Amino acid sequence: MTNAVALAQSGSSNVTFRNRIINGAMVIDQRNAGASVTQTTGNLFPVDRFFITGSVASKFTAQQSSTAPAGFNKSLLITSSSAYSVGSGDFFVLAQNIEGYNVADLNWGTANAKTVTLSFQVYSSLTGTFGGALVGGSTYSYPFTYTVSSANTWTTISVTVAGPTSGGTWDITNGSGLIVRFGLGVGTTYSGTAGSWTANNYFSATGAVSVVGTSGATFYITGVQLEAGTTASPFEYRQYGTEFILCQRYYQTFGNTSYAGIAAGLNNNTNTKSAFAMAYNTAMRAAPTVTFSNLIVTDRTAYDTTVSSISLTQAGANSLFIFFNLSSTAGGNNTPTLLCVTNGTTGSLMCSSEL
Amino acid sequence: MYKSTPIPFGQTEPSCVIRTSDGAAIPFDPDNTDYQEYLRWLKAGNTPEPA
């Protein structure tokens, strides 16, 4: 079947931008630059837009990998850190939270709900029936299963899901519209029968393989695509710049290079503060949480003063007015100053409006 | 844990709260998920450190 025929038969209403998943080819990793991260009980992003979490910390690691099937350059690698016996209330997952605007046309929760197809490629040291779940609305979920028959072999998976006609309120604006979860070990409390919608917050399907149950087990995934329609069309490989901007709606950084300039502003010598107004590279989903590492304010000649903490005066989805508290005074009151990365470091200002 | 911030010049109330674990400045935006988490923390009976 040609790609054109497959696309025509998929029933998708979009020829381009049909994939509701962002960074499905795992190519963008702004936070870690390919380094491994160890799972915690919070949400960590081993690559952009995909997060990992679990009920108990340190049961697996995740990182961008160059092991990939034909047609791809990257994948996301999950490695089990121990042989953990999953309890009934445990959960370990990889997931992406899709913004409501990007699934609003699916009309979920109404009589016009559209069918979707989730497709991806996996490569695992384990075989068997794996699980996941689609979750949205007022905690409404659809557990699904998929089979990996051959270990350490790329396997293409496709799961078609009839859209839910109920399930409470489904966000269609800038909140959480739909969560796609891949179970890596989920207890009975958060596992449900595969193949139907249910008013429960499930993470996976009953009886699915537990990746965290085998020490050193590996699980690679890439080519994740969620689209309207009844069959999977070829993966929509968007241009890197386009995909990067899509990611920046949720996370963006400034700096990242030694002595890189970030913004120009003013000193307030009395309070050892500097104030900067900044515009984001692209509009963010919401006013972001702001963190920083290794920043200075400087006039590039007389002083390089370390930033010790920050405070927001105004924060919106398009721009930011931010105060930096300094370790010592810098320049004179109301004198111009620059916000830069500390010399010799890869410091940055980081803005996150993840779901 | 969280720490309050001073009222910015020209405003009548603080615009953000600091998450003490990583120094993150969290804006008071109802769509920000970190702010939503802060509200749940407050609802649980907790109080931020003073500015």
Side-chain angles (χ1 to χ4, degrees):
Chain A
M1 184 185 304
T2 66
N3 288 354
V5 172
L7 181 57
Q9 291 181 345
S10 72
S12 172
S13 59
N14 301 72
V15 174
T16 59
F17 284 89
R18 62 187 185 280
N19 189 4
R20 314 311 170 91
I21 295 289
I22 295 173
N23 199 28
M26 313 295 177
V27 295
I28 297 168
D29 180 15
Q30 294 187 77
R31 296 170 178 81
N32 318 294
S36 178
V37 296
T38 299
Q39 165 258 329
T40 69
T41 56
N43 292 354
L44 292 180
F45 291 80
V47 295
D48 276 51
R49 297 299 293 123
F50 284 90
F51 69 90
I52 56 172
T53 189
S55 52
V56 181
S58 304
K59 298 307 174 190
F60 66 92
T61 60
Q63 70 180 121
Q64 187 186 52
S65 169
S66 294
T67 297
F72 293 87
N73 297 304
K74 298 292 183 184
S75 66
L76 179 63
L77 164 62
I78 304 290
T79 305
S80 173
S81 302
S82 62
Y84 182 70
S85 181
V86 173
S88 60
D90 281 331
F91 59 86
F92 302 92
V93 294
L94 165 70
Q96 180 165 139
N97 206 328
I98 303 174
E99 187 174 348
Y101 283 127
N102 296 337
V103 288
D105 66 306
L106 299 179
N107 294 136
W108 282 15
T110 77
N112 299 316
K114 293 181 182 177
T115 295
V116 297
T117 296
L118 174 69
S119 57
F120 50 95
Q121 297 198 48
V122 293
Y123 176 108
S124 178
S125 63
L126 304 175
T127 61
T129 302
F130 290 68
L134 304 185
V135 186
S138 302
T139 317
Y140 212 55
S141 54
Y142 182 100
F144 63 83
T145 59
Y146 59 96
T147 302
V148 176
S149 300
S150 301
N152 300 323
T153 303
W154 282 106
T155 304
T156 300
I157 306 295
S158 175
V159 179
T160 297
V161 178
T165 55
S166 57
T169 302
W170 293 75
D171 194 298
I172 56 172
T173 62
N174 67 337
S176 173
L178 170 64
I179 308 172
V180 178
R181 289 172 173 157
F182 299 93
L184 303 170
V186 179
T188 55
T189 301
Y190 296 107
S191 297
T193 303
S196 62
W197 287 98
T198 178
N200 292 286
N201 183 23
Y202 287 143
F203 289 72
S204 187
T206 302
V209 168
S210 170
V211 175
V212 298
T214 300
S215 181
T218 55
F219 176 89
Y220 297 83
I221 185 169
T222 193
V224 184
Q225 178 156 288
L226 180 78
E227 61 193 306
T230 56
T231 59
S233 67
F235 181 78
E236 181 189 17
Y237 207 102
R238 291 185 283 254
Q239 291 189 5
Y240 181 85
T242 300
E243 201 77 41
F244 192 74
I245 290 171
L246 294 177
C247 291
Q248 285 185 314
R249 179 167 172 79
Y250 307 91
Y251 183 85
Q252 53 187 273
T253 67
F254 300 85
N256 306 308
T257 303
S258 174
Y259 231 22
I262 297 175
L266 284 174
N267 284 320
N268 182 326
N269 213 22
T270 303
N271 297 316
T272 59
K273 293 179 186 293
S274 293
F276 296 85
M278 300 176 61
Y280 309 123
N281 296 311
T282 190
M284 303 199 74
R285 183 193 63 82
T289 296
V290 182
T291 53
F292 72 96
S293 69
N294 295 315
L295 297 182
I296 56 171
V297 295
T298 177
D299 66 352
R300 306 297 293 253
T301 54
Y303 64 88
D304 281 357
T305 303
T306 301
V307 170
S308 57
S309 63
I310 58 178
S311 183
L312 307 177
T313 298
Q314 293 281 1
N318 292 292
S319 63
L320 186 68
F321 190 52
I322 184 168
F323 265 105
F324 292 84
N325 299 309
L326 309 177
S327 59
S328 59
T329 56
N333 193 23
N334 288 333
T335 57
T337 192
L338 300 171
L339 177 65
C340 290
V341 174
T342 304
N343 200 10
T345 75
T346 55
S348 62
L349 185 74
M350 297 155 275
C351 299
S352 174
S353 62
E354 285 287 357
L355 286 160
Chain B
M1 301 291 286
Y2 298 90
K3 182 177 182 180
S4 299
T5 60
I7 297 172
F9 177 78
Q11 297 191 25
T12 58
E13 55 188 26
S15 300
C16 74
V17 66
I18 303 300
R19 185 169 57 203
T20 54
S21 62
D22 61 356
I26 300 170
F28 291 164
D29 179 347
D31 291 328
N32 180 297
T33 53
D34 292 316
Y35 180 59
Q36 293 166 6
E37 179 65 29
Y38 171 65
L39 293 180
R40 286 192 287 272
W41 184 81
L42 286 180
K43 194 173 182 180
N46 298 297
T47 305
E49 298 172 25

